[in-house]
Amino acid sequence: MNLLSIDISYNELQGPIPNSTAFRNATIEELQGNKDLCGDVRGLRPCSTLLPAKHGLHQGWKIFLTVFFPLLGALVLSVVLICILFSSKRVKRDSRDQENAMQNEEFLWISTFKGKKMYEEITAATKDFEASHLIGEGGHGSVYKAELSPGNIVAVKKIHSMYTGDIAHQKEFLCEIRALTEIRHRNIVKFFGFCVHSQHSFLVYEYLERGSLATILSNEAEAAVLDWSKRVNAIKGVAHALSYMHHDCFPPIVHRDISSKNVLLDEEYEAHVSDFGTAKLLKRYSSNWTQLAGTYGYIAPELAYTMKVTEKCDVYSFGVLALEVIQGKHPVDIISTFSGSYADMNIELDDMLDPRLQFPSLELQNKLIPIMDVAFLCLDVNPQSRPTMQIVSQLLSN
């Protein structure tokens, strides 16, 4: 038997009404007075709104958050991994490109300047290394004066032959060049950089106005201006520079070609050690070289029978240089008769002094005599018996 009519008014009922004929045909009066009925009857709200909607919305957010955050975490992790992968590949590619450049490219530049632009400025300033800009010649190259802009002058040493294509040797040399650009000392010429090009290879240095000690000492008028005080300061300056190179640089640097032509003077006659074209960064267990470098008359005697280069080679060269500055000429006669014992030589100060200068005052004699004593210690035939340049620098500072 089917229910034909209903009356559930005022019963505090709630929820959806049954889907039957009696309820579908019920009037709103028969359903009124209840809490929260819903259904397909005129006057009631549809059951798809409010509570079910709120419940559905709440469930939807729970599902969304449950899925979203794990996906977000996975996405972030993927991005990080991709960045690391690309970064690693870029580093490897850059390293590989550098090696390829050193082997194959016609242009390579290491400097404190801006690469190719500086190369073009230097070649323009020297008019492609025209003879009119030449200011000096050496065993390894020719030196040119280049004015890059008003007041901005550099010395450019054009290398005779440098780019061998041997990657192992070249990489070692380029490491040395990078280290030299970082050297900062008041008695060392500032080194700005090095360039290898298919047409020209050159080193770029600070330009110093008065030129080399060798040039000054060979000129009567200029040698007379270089008085005893200036000469003492020049010798001390070279000693301080070598002490810095040997004891304050890591790895230590041995110059290998200390001579009067490689000591330059500025406007105030301050000495600056120059020309690191043959410089060697000493590394433990790798001090043997394959060819002799240096200037005849300044080379340590042990290099005649061994290719082992140490800081003591520079110490010997300094001893020769110090005597040359005092005597005004290369001390070849004194060195050839030097037996290794300064005490046995009975050399008087008068015999050592440059005759082009007035005899020094007592105060200056007291500075010149210690320099002469130290110079002969540096000329000891036994490298191990020579003082270090640190000791020499300290002795001359007293």
Coordinates of all heavy atoms in Angstrom, one line a residue, residues 121-133 144-147 156:
E121 N 95.0 48.5 -28.5 CA 95.5 49.8 -28.1 C 97.0 49.8 -28.1 O 97.6 50.8 -28.5 CB 95.0 50.1 -26.7 CG 93.5 50.5 -26.7 CD 93.0 50.9 -25.3 OE1 93.9 51.1 -24.4 OE2 91.8 51.1 -25.1
I122 N 97.6 48.7 -27.7 CA 99.1 48.6 -27.6 C 99.7 48.6 -29.0 O 100.7 49.3 -29.3 CB 99.6 47.4 -26.8 CG1 99.3 47.7 -25.3 CG2 101.0 47.1 -27.0 CD1 99.6 46.6 -24.4
T123 N 99.1 47.8 -29.9 CA 99.6 47.7 -31.2 C 99.4 49.1 -31.9 O 100.3 49.5 -32.7 CB 99.0 46.6 -32.1 OG1 97.5 46.7 -32.0 CG2 99.4 45.2 -31.5
A124 N 98.3 49.8 -31.6 CA 98.1 51.1 -32.2 C 99.1 52.1 -31.6 O 99.6 53.0 -32.4 CB 96.7 51.5 -32.0
A125 N 99.3 52.1 -30.3 CA 100.2 53.1 -29.7 C 101.7 52.9 -30.1 O 102.4 53.9 -30.2 CB 100.1 52.9 -28.2
T126 N 102.1 51.7 -30.5 CA 103.4 51.5 -31.0 C 103.5 51.4 -32.5 O 104.6 51.2 -33.0 CB 104.0 50.1 -30.4 OG1 103.1 49.1 -30.9 CG2 104.1 50.1 -28.9
K127 N 102.4 51.7 -33.1 CA 102.3 51.7 -34.6 C 102.8 50.3 -35.1 O 103.7 50.3 -36.0 CB 103.1 52.8 -35.2 CG 102.5 54.2 -34.9 CD 103.3 55.3 -35.5 CE 102.6 56.7 -35.2 NZ 103.4 57.8 -35.7
D128 N 102.2 49.3 -34.5 CA 102.6 47.9 -34.8 C 104.0 47.7 -34.6 O 104.7 47.0 -35.4 CB 102.2 47.6 -36.3 CG 101.9 46.1 -36.5 OD1 101.6 45.4 -35.5 OD2 102.1 45.6 -37.6
F129 N 104.5 48.2 -33.4 CA 105.9 48.0 -33.0 C 106.9 48.6 -34.0 O 107.9 47.9 -34.4 CB 106.2 46.5 -32.7 CG 105.3 45.9 -31.6 CD1 104.2 45.2 -31.9 CD2 105.7 46.1 -30.3 CE1 103.4 44.8 -30.8 CE2 104.9 45.7 -29.2 CZ 103.7 45.0 -29.5
E130 N 106.7 49.8 -34.3 CA 107.6 50.5 -35.2 C 108.9 50.9 -34.5 O 108.9 51.1 -33.3 CB 106.9 51.8 -35.7 CG 107.5 52.5 -36.8 CD 106.7 53.7 -37.3 OE1 106.8 54.7 -36.6 OE2 105.9 53.6 -38.3
A131 N 110.0 51.0 -35.2 CA 111.3 51.2 -34.6 C 111.4 52.5 -33.8 O 112.2 52.7 -32.9 CB 112.4 51.2 -35.7
S132 N 110.6 53.5 -34.2 CA 110.6 54.8 -33.5 C 110.1 54.7 -32.1 O 110.4 55.6 -31.3 CB 109.7 55.8 -34.3 OG 108.4 55.4 -34.3
H133 N 109.5 53.6 -31.7 CA 109.0 53.5 -30.3 C 109.9 52.5 -29.5 O 109.7 52.3 -28.4 CB 107.6 52.9 -30.3 CG 106.6 53.9 -30.9 ND1 105.9 54.8 -30.1 CD2 106.1 54.1 -32.2 CE1 105.1 55.5 -30.9 NE2 105.2 55.1 -32.1
Y144 N 109.4 48.4 -26.1 CA 108.8 49.6 -26.7 C 108.1 50.5 -25.7 O 107.6 50.0 -24.7 CB 107.9 49.1 -27.8 CG 108.5 48.4 -29.0 CD1 108.8 47.0 -28.8 CD2 108.8 49.0 -30.2 CE1 109.4 46.3 -29.9 CE2 109.4 48.3 -31.2 CZ 109.7 47.0 -31.0 OH 110.3 46.3 -32.1
K145 N 108.0 51.7 -26.0 CA 107.3 52.7 -25.2 C 105.9 52.9 -25.8 O 105.8 53.2 -27.0 CB 108.0 54.0 -25.1 CG 107.3 55.1 -24.3 CD 108.2 56.4 -24.2 CE 107.5 57.5 -23.5 NZ 108.3 58.7 -23.5
A146 N 104.9 52.7 -25.1 CA 103.5 52.8 -25.6 C 102.7 53.8 -24.7 O 102.5 53.5 -23.6 CB 102.8 51.5 -25.7
E147 N 102.3 54.9 -25.3 CA 101.4 55.8 -24.6 C 100.0 55.5 -25.0 O 99.5 55.9 -26.1 CB 101.8 57.3 -25.0 CG 101.0 58.3 -24.1 CD 101.5 59.7 -24.3 OE1 102.4 59.9 -25.1 OE2 101.1 60.6 -23.6
V156 N 106.4 47.9 -23.2 CA 105.9 46.7 -23.8 C 107.2 45.9 -24.3 O 107.9 46.4 -25.1 CB 105.0 46.9 -24.9 CG1 104.5 45.6 -25.5 CG2 103.8 47.8 -24.5

